[in-house]
């Protein structure tokens, strides 16, 4: 590859901001790992999920298994208006992973609410089907917590 010198018509780069007159580096405050608001919301979410876990007796809402750790699950993604502080139910790690890995099927069975994927017309917007085929009403689950 042949290299040619920079053409004479191109101006050399110029600095847009002036240098610090003292020559000392600027001291900047490091960003917090977690904001104060997020810490407060996480503490509130922990209390809400704990109450839901107790009300559900530690059972996953989708598969019904007990004895597994269960976590809060939002059917509406937080990026789409869902709330960190108001999960719809508690799911085990396997069922939550299934919902995240298969969003189209999860939306059809009611475990995700999305404008992108259709849901089963036999289900109301507040309902979902568990693994056995029973209909779960989220209005009752959220009201229990």
């Amino acid at each position: 590859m042949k290299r040619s010198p920079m053409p004479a018509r191109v101006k050399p780069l110029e600095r847009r901001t002036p240098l610090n007159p003292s020559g000392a580096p600027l001291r900047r405050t490091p960003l917090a790992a977690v904001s104060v608001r997020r810490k407060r919301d996480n503490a509130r979410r922990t209390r809400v999920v704990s109450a839901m876990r107790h009300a559900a007796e530690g059972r996953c809402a989708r598969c019904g298994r007990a004895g597994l750790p269960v976590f809060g699950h939002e059917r509406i993604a937080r990026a789409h208006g869902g709330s960190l502080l108001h999960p719809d139910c508690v799911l085990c790690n396997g069922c939550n992973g299934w919902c995240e890995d298969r969003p189209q099927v999860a939306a059809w069975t009611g475990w995700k609410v999305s404008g992108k994927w259709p849901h089963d017309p036999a289900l109301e917007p507040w309902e979902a089907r568990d693994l056995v085929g029973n209909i779960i009403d989220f209005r009752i689950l959220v009201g229990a917590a």
Side-chain angles (χ1 to χ4, degrees):
M1 171 163 60
K2 183 178 177 185
R3 295 183 153 247
S4 59
M6 190 174 357
R9 67 181 186 274
V10 177
K11 293 186 342 183
L13 294 175
E14 295 179 4
R15 191 166 185 84
R16 290 186 179 187
T17 57
L19 290 172
N20 188 2
S22 67
L26 297 175
R27 292 188 182 188
R28 301 220 163 127
T29 307
L31 295 174
V34 179
S35 70
V36 174
R37 178 180 173 197
R38 186 61 182 242
K39 282 182 187 178
R40 184 186 65 231
D41 287 352
N42 284 345
R44 287 178 57 197
R45 179 183 169 86
T46 301
R47 289 192 299 272
V48 168
V49 171
S50 177
M52 290 179 78
R53 188 179 295 129
H54 181 70
E57 299 173 353
R59 291 191 174 276
C60 174
R62 182 173 172 265
C63 67
R65 290 187 290 178
L68 297 173
V70 289
F71 307 97
H73 172 70
E74 300 89 12
R75 295 172 57 228
I76 301 174
R78 286 183 287 232
H80 295 263
S83 173
L84 174 72
L85 301 177
H86 303 331
D88 294 313
C89 61
V90 288
L91 293 181
C92 66
N93 205 18
C95 289
N96 194 31
W98 176 85
C99 289
E100 299 303 325
D101 293 343
R102 296 169 183 82
Q104 190 171 8
V105 179
W108 183 259
T109 56
W111 292 102
K112 286 275 190 196
V113 176
S114 171
K116 185 176 181 180
W117 307 112
H119 72 279
D120 186 355
L123 294 174
E124 295 294 332
W126 55 84
E127 295 177 336
R129 291 196 190 277
D130 65 3
L131 288 179
V132 181
N134 299 325
I135 294 178
I136 296 172
D137 190 337
F138 288 105
R139 296 174 302 178
I140 295 171
L141 289 177
V142 173

